Amino acid sequence: MADPTTYSEAVSTAREYYNSSSAENFYSTIWGGEDIHVGIYQSENDTIFTASQRTVEKIAEQLKLAPSTKVLDIGAGYGGSARYLVKTYGCPVDCLNLSEVQNERNRKLNQEQGVADKIDVYDGDFEALPMSDASYDVVWCQDSILHSSNRTKVLEEAYRVLKPGGEFIFTDPMQSDDCNPEEIQPVLDRIHLPSMGSVGFYREVAARLGFDEVQFIDMSEQIPNHYGSVLKAVNENYDATVKQCGEEYVENMRKGLNHWVNFGKQGKLKWGILHFRKR
């Protein structure tokens, strides 16, 4: 069992937020209840659930997965990606996540969907993984590393637990390489951190650790698409969402979503699939 008192301030802040009843009610309803990450939208009629599922499929297509592939999902949320991998490829998945509330939902959904024997769920911090060295073929992460104040440590831990030749594949909402953090201050205030990662930052750290870059699939246009879709869902279900989450939470969410949409349209934010291989 992880000891939350050892978590960094940034991780503790994220844990407190995602364990709150308001956040749990919001993400389990508005966001679709399976995944908590940016979706890939092909039309304005795509639901958040469909677009989010498409992201999981797109990431998985970049890998050669088999029943023998051992996967670790860090920042696993509700475990939707793990369930997809088990059902589609038959590979076992370990989920690590900081929110005990989300982890309980993950375990419950695994039981309900008949995949609990293939998925282990751990309460923990991706800055200090409770996993052995060189024990995974794939480390997978979706839109979680932005919550760390020590993103280098997250990559170091991913490198440590991967086998030689293992793959680290992740998405993360990022600032563009030429963006001054002050330009996106409202977004940084929202995540309670002084900066976000960038493609250049992740490339530099990964190369220094001993990763080779496989590819970066730039899908930055999905930032305004996704957060705009979430904002639309909130507005269309405003009264019900306020009843479940509270007016203050919903108004702060709407304000934050607008910032993501606007900065995304201005090209100050980046998003896509970063894929590295351990030498």
Side-chain angles (χ1 to χ4, degrees):
M1 179 67 70
D3 179 5
T5 63
T6 65
Y7 294 175
S8 68
E9 182 179 354
V11 171
S12 295
T13 298
R15 173 177 173 264
E16 181 179 356
Y17 171 76
Y18 285 111
N19 274 342
S20 71
S21 59
S22 293
E24 171 63 11
N25 289 334
F26 183 84
Y27 290 105
S28 64
T29 54
I30 292 293
W31 217 285
E34 279 279 341
D35 304 291
I36 309 175
H37 54 248
V38 176
I40 297 174
Y41 294 78
Q42 295 179 346
S43 82
E44 61 182 19
N45 296 320
D46 283 343
T47 65
I48 297 169
F49 178 89
T50 298
S52 297
Q53 184 70 31
R54 193 175 287 130
T55 302
V56 178
E57 295 168 358
K58 179 76 171 179
I59 298 172
E61 288 169 1
Q62 312 312 311
L63 303 166
K64 294 181 180 179
L65 297 167
S68 60
T69 307
K70 191 171 182 182
V71 179
L72 171 64
D73 184 354
I74 57 175
Y78 293 134
S81 300
R83 286 184 290 279
Y84 174 81
L85 295 179
V86 168
K87 293 175 183 178
T88 307
Y89 298 97
C91 50
V93 183
D94 287 348
C95 291
L96 179 129
N97 194 47
L98 53 77
S99 167
E100 294 86 357
V101 171
Q102 290 179 353
N103 289 345
E104 284 186 21
R105 179 178 175 84
N106 188 352
R107 296 182 185 103
K108 181 174 181 289
L109 290 171
N110 294 341
Q111 289 286 348
E112 291 174 352
Q113 298 181 32
V115 293
D117 61 322
K118 285 277 195 172
I119 301 174
D120 288 323
V121 182
Y122 297 88
D123 301 336
D125 171 11
F126 54 16
E127 293 178 1
L129 295 174
M131 283 81 186
S132 302
D133 295 358
S135 51
Y136 292 93
D137 301 294
V138 173
V139 174
W140 171 299
C141 185
Q142 289 180 260
D143 304 342
S144 297
I145 304 176
L146 81 159
H147 291 301
S148 173
S149 59
N150 190 350
R151 299 181 186 103
T152 297
K153 184 62 175 175
V154 178
L155 268 66
E156 288 174 349
E157 283 292 272
Y159 186 88
R160 178 182 66 79
V161 302
L162 277 169
K163 300 174 184 176
E167 295 174 274
F168 182 32
I169 193 163
F170 66 98
T171 59
D172 205 41
M174 300 170 282
Q175 61 192 53
S176 61
D177 283 314
D178 59 355
C179 177
N180 185 318
E182 293 180 358
E183 297 177 58
I184 54 169
Q185 193 61 51
V187 168
L188 299 178
D189 290 343
R190 180 72 179 165
I191 61 175
H192 305 286
L193 285 170
S195 68
M196 302 173 75
S198 67
V199 176
F201 167 80
Y202 286 126
R203 281 174 166 159
E204 187 276 325
V205 174
R208 177 162 47 83
L209 291 175
F211 282 111
D212 290 321
E213 182 176 345
V214 178
Q215 63 179 335
F216 169 56
I217 303 175
D218 189 345
M219 296 183 287
S220 299
E221 73 280 359
Q222 298 297 345
I223 286 280
N225 290 347
H226 178 74
Y227 289 99
S229 181
V230 176
L231 179 59
K232 179 182 177 183
V234 172
N235 290 337
E236 290 177 346
N237 300 277
Y238 183 81
D239 290 341
T241 307
V242 166
K243 186 175 181 180
Q244 286 187 307
C245 305
E247 184 175 5
E248 182 180 3
Y249 179 91
V250 173
E251 286 305 312
N252 285 335
M253 177 62 73
R254 292 171 79 189
K255 186 184 300 183
L257 291 168
N258 269 307
H259 290 315
W260 283 101
V261 171
N262 293 334
F263 290 136
K265 289 180 176 178
Q266 293 169 26
K268 295 177 181 177
L269 300 176
K270 300 286 282 186
W271 183 80
I273 300 172
L274 293 106
H275 187 186
F276 299 97
R277 182 175 292 116
K278 181 176 180 176
R279 295 182 198 134

